[in-house]
Amino acid sequence: MTELYQRLAEQDRNRRCVVLRVLEKPYLGEQALLSEGKPVYCSDPEGLLPRHEAELSGMEACGVIELEGKAVFCEPVGREKTLAICGGGHVSAAVVRLGKMLGFHTVVFEDRPKFADNVRLAGADEVYCEPFETGLDRIAGSADTYFVIATRGHRYDHVCLRKIAEKSYAYVGMIGSRRRVAMLKRTLEEEGVKRQVLADLHAPIGLAIDAETPTEIAVSIMAEIIAEKNGRNRAGEYPRELIHALLDESGEHGGKALATIVRRKGSAPREIGTKMLIYEDGMAVGTIGGGCAEAEIFSQARSLLMTGGARICHVDMTTESAEDEGMVCGGWLDILLEVV
């Protein structure tokens, strides 16, 4: 069962990958991985999915489709979300801490050793202590890269924004007053920077919540980034922590089962594709929303670990018992449980 995740970890995440899982017997638990429409893994070469390779090659949306009357969960795999921060001051350190909590891979560019050390202590995954212009050459950018410019001065902002304008990005935000931002935009436009990049710039950065402290400013920045991220087409996410846990064969916490939301209706707490890895000893990586719904999935996962295989669990959050537990979402979830 771990071969799927090993193959996924080996893929170039800038390529279009799709994970497929059959949700109904007799094919329940069958899996496949496509990269750029071509199969790179299939758990059962004689199963349902290989018979529909051409049909599946162009799948883009996350959700359930039907093949031969059987439900199949189709999950385009999003690239890892990267938070690229220019500057290593107090606000940047706070953005790093929040970004890590939210599952971003955090990269910081800072040319002063003392401040580079500060963001290392804050938990940044990568820190490059060198001039911004050369540091930013280390990152290609992508449709899943979120740039935050929080340097110590106007001329450094200029350098960073000019370099970022040459890259792909999901978001570019910059700290600065409206006057300072307007001046910089005019200068960059005169230098030939694309107008679309300047129009996309979020500056002043962050949501308007009257933030004052570095942590409050970081909250406003990350809130704006979350809104930008979640307003895009969703795709399944396999962050490094989850992939590492899926491939870990140490057995330290016993067996493990992966829970994936494959259907939802109403105001259920989490989106389709959300995952949680559940260990035999009660440890978990990720969450599908908490509350008694998650408690039920823990119980079902432990039961499944005794028998093996896969099953679909239906969690109804519209019943009286759910309301008694304080679950007032008013929706339901179908969750695929698979022993890994």
Side-chain angles (χ1 to χ4, degrees):
M1 188 68 77
T2 59
E3 187 175 354
L4 169 68
Y5 307 113
Q6 183 63 55
R7 295 291 187 90
L8 184 59
E10 293 168 355
Q11 297 305 303
D12 178 353
R13 296 294 283 272
N14 287 317
R15 296 172 66 84
R16 180 172 57 88
C17 292
V18 179
V19 173
L20 301 154
R21 294 182 173 89
V22 184
L23 304 180
E24 294 185 49
K25 294 180 179 179
Y27 306 104
L28 178 62
E30 183 184 335
Q31 304 171 325
L33 172 64
L34 305 180
S35 178
E36 296 295 342
K38 303 296 183 183
V40 295
Y41 170 75
C42 186
S43 62
D44 183 0
E46 305 300 322
L48 174 66
L49 297 174
R51 297 199 292 271
H52 297 272
E53 179 184 326
E55 186 177 346
L56 294 168
S57 64
M59 296 304 300
E60 296 284 353
C62 186
V64 176
I65 62 172
E66 271 199 9
L67 296 176
E68 299 180 19
K70 303 299 181 184
V72 176
F73 182 55
C74 176
E75 184 182 26
V77 179
R79 288 173 285 243
E80 181 175 54
K81 303 298 184 286
T82 297
L83 188 59
I85 306 165
C86 300
H90 297 302
V91 170
S92 296
V95 170
V96 165
R97 286 190 284 269
L98 287 177
K100 293 295 295 176
M101 290 173 63
L102 292 165
F104 286 81
H105 181 73
T106 55
V107 183
V108 182
F109 306 96
E110 170 57 61
D111 59 352
R112 299 166 294 175
K114 178 181 177 181
F115 287 88
D117 286 342
N118 287 344
V119 287
R120 287 191 185 97
L121 290 172
D125 295 297
E126 300 177 53
V127 179
Y128 296 103
C129 186
E130 56 190 316
F132 293 108
E133 191 164 14
T134 55
L136 281 164
D137 284 336
R138 296 180 179 273
I139 188 168
S142 74
D144 293 284
T145 302
Y146 297 76
F147 287 97
V148 173
I149 302 173
T151 74
R152 63 188 181 277
H154 176 79
R155 67 188 179 99
Y156 301 105
D157 294 344
H158 185 163
V159 168
C160 292
L161 188 53
R162 188 172 179 81
K163 292 292 290 187
I164 292 166
E166 301 168 359
K167 306 176 186 293
S168 296
Y169 55 83
Y171 168 97
V172 183
M174 185 176 73
I175 289 179
S177 67
R178 295 187 186 280
R179 178 175 174 275
R180 174 177 159 186
V181 169
M183 289 173 57
L184 181 56
K185 281 186 173 183
R186 282 196 299 272
T187 301
L188 289 170
E189 187 172 359
E190 290 169 1
E191 293 176 359
V193 170
K194 295 176 184 176
R195 288 186 177 181
Q196 187 58 52
V197 175
L198 301 177
D200 289 343
L201 179 65
H202 293 260
I205 197 171
L207 297 186
I209 59 172
D210 293 327
E212 293 185 2
T213 68
T215 302
E216 289 175 350
I217 295 168
V219 168
S220 76
I221 292 170
M222 291 310 302
E224 187 171 64
I225 287 174
I226 290 168
E228 190 75 16
K229 175 177 74 72
N230 290 352
R232 296 166 175 265
N233 291 332
R234 291 180 178 273
E237 294 187 12
Y238 289 82
R240 294 187 187 197
E241 181 186 18
L242 178 61
I243 289 289
H244 177 77
L246 285 164
L247 296 177
D248 180 20
E249 297 182 353
S250 68
E252 181 181 357
H253 302 290
K256 52 196 174 187
L258 181 66
T260 305
I261 298 175
V262 296
R263 297 186 185 94
R264 72 188 289 272
K265 185 176 181 180
S267 53
R270 299 300 301 273
E271 292 292 332
I272 290 172
T274 302
K275 298 173 186 64
M276 177 173 66
L277 187 65
I278 301 163
Y279 289 95
E280 190 174 358
D281 68 356
M283 293 279 290
V285 175
T287 177
I288 56 168
C292 60
E294 200 160 283
E296 172 65 17
I297 295 303
F298 266 90
S299 175
Q300 297 236 18
R302 292 194 189 100
S303 170
L304 186 66
L305 284 167
M306 297 175 65
T307 61
R311 71 174 62 154
I312 298 291
C313 306
H314 182 76
V315 178
D316 190 345
M317 292 171 285
T318 62
T319 61
E320 285 187 18
S321 58
E323 189 172 341
D324 289 343
E325 293 287 343
M327 295 177 62
V328 292
C329 295
W332 56 259
L333 299 170
D334 278 344
I335 296 168
L336 173 64
L337 271 177
E338 308 165 281
V339 172
V340 177

